[in-house]
Amino acid sequence: MNKWKRLLIVGVILSLAMMLLFPSIAAADEVTVSIDAPAEVGEGTDFIARVNITEVTNFDACNYDITYDPLILEVTDVTDGIIGETVIPVGMWGFVPAETQGTIRVIQNVPGLSGASGSGYLSEIHFHVVGAYCNTSDITLSDGILSDNTATEIPATWVGDSVHVNTTLDAEFSASPLEGVAGVTGFTFTDATTGCTPPYTYEWDFDNDGAVDSTAASPTHIYANAGTYTVSLTVTDACGNTDIESKENYIMIVVVISGDVNGDGYVNELDMWLVAEHFGESDSPGWIPEDVCRNGVISVLDMIVIGQHWTG
């Protein structure tokens, strides 16, 4: 065997060995084209899915199909992409077959001969959600071809994505009671948030000062001072969606003089009469004015407190 044949065989063996030992070297020029869509979308909403592309050299043209479930999604538009600083125009797009939702074909070409290098996205696909809550649609890429400015095909891996239809996140809550006494009444706030993807996280602001007062789902709070309070709840779902519910002038807090059952500013016989009318009642639901001692029983003890604070 002559020297040149031996060298050729050795070269082939070395090349194969390098490909086996370092497969990434063999595929160094391969790029990845992938759909980037939100994981969660709301019923009846619009969203954009990008056709991303990793680092590419001298990109010039491409065509590809995007397939989706037409019972869940519909395509309303396809707009230009950008690689590096070069705009990648959408030369043509349409349904395959024509006028039938489910698959679109996109054709693109960079004007001139310089090509585009870098990473970015080929296009943006504009979707409208027509499906109902809990539906899921794959968005797949197929029949894709990339070429450079010498009309040489660029090796590529094509990767799809999927979206899940959810209801729009709607933060909501209630409170009980809505009126009470400063430093006494405990207010229970109950979360009633719906939509998107639980579990939720919570940020309660009981006095609208911008500070987070609680992160519990249904907290209890006692207000120290009299006044009217606006309450806000910020809810974040498992996918990072956020909604805020704010109820203005929602909680009313008053200061009650001990023994002033009727709240007229005086402690006198009128307060005694009100206690007498409820005398003997027990297990009162929460705090009521006649229960001056706040022990759950309306009794002679309440009359004693009125006597101690008598103002005439």
Side-chain angles (χ1 to χ4, degrees), residues 72 101-102 104 108 120 134 139-140 192 216 238-239 244 272 290 293 305:
I72 301 172
Q101 289 270 354
I104 62 169
Q108 299 179 259
C134 279
I139 305 176
T140 61
C239 296
I244 301 174
M272 284 286 193
E290 290 81 1
C293 295
V305 172

Side-chain angles (χ1 to χ4, degrees), residues 79-117:
T79 53
D80 298 344
I82 187 167
I83 295 176
E85 298 182 353
T86 304
V87 174
I88 311 300
V90 175
M92 181 184 303
W93 76 272
F95 298 104
V96 182
E99 307 302 326
T100 301
Q101 289 270 354
T103 299
I104 62 169
R105 180 161 297 159
V106 182
I107 300 173
Q108 299 179 259
N109 180 257
V110 178
L113 300 175
S114 60
S117 297

Side-chain angles (χ1 to χ4, degrees), residues 99-219:
E99 307 302 326
T100 301
Q101 289 270 354
T103 299
I104 62 169
R105 180 161 297 159
V106 182
I107 300 173
Q108 299 179 259
N109 180 257
V110 178
L113 300 175
S114 60
S117 297
S119 58
Y121 58 97
L122 297 175
S123 64
E124 291 184 322
I125 315 301
H126 298 248
F127 286 98
H128 177 70
V129 179
V130 296
Y133 174 60
C134 279
N135 290 159
T136 298
S137 174
D138 291 329
I139 305 176
T140 61
L141 280 166
S142 61
D143 297 327
I145 298 176
L146 305 177
S147 61
D148 64 17
N149 56 2
T150 66
T152 301
E153 183 175 352
I154 301 171
T157 299
W158 301 80
V159 181
D161 203 351
S162 64
V163 295
H164 180 72
V165 180
N166 238 319
T167 54
T168 302
L169 183 64
D170 183 16
E172 184 54 80
F173 67 90
S174 62
S176 180
L178 297 179
E179 298 181 359
V181 179
V184 175
T185 306
F187 293 83
T188 298
F189 296 87
T190 303
D191 169 58
T193 299
T194 58
C196 281
T197 305
Y200 306 126
T201 57
Y202 306 92
E203 293 182 352
W204 293 89
D205 183 357
F206 297 128
D207 49 13
N208 202 37
D209 64 354
V212 177
D213 298 310
S214 176
T215 57
S218 297

Side-chain angles (χ1 to χ4, degrees), residues 257-275 302-303 305-312:
I257 300 171
S258 185
D260 182 13
V261 177
N262 62 357
D264 63 358
Y266 300 95
V267 181
N268 53 30
E269 65 273 10
L270 295 176
D271 303 303
M272 284 286 193
W273 279 110
L274 289 172
V275 171
D302 301 304
M303 289 186 171
V305 172
I306 293 174
Q308 291 173 342
H309 293 83
W310 193 280
T311 57

Side-chain angles (χ1 to χ4, degrees), residues 275 278-281 290 293 295 297-304:
V275 171
H278 294 82
F279 200 83
E281 291 185 8
E290 290 81 1
C293 295
N295 62 359
V297 179
I298 300 173
S299 66
V300 69
L301 294 176
D302 301 304
M303 289 186 171
I304 292 173

Side-chain angles (χ1 to χ4, degrees), residues 65-79:
D65 290 354
I66 295 177
T67 301
Y68 54 94
D69 188 336
L71 297 178
I72 301 172
L73 306 174
E74 65 179 18
V75 174
T76 58
D77 199 8
V78 180
T79 53

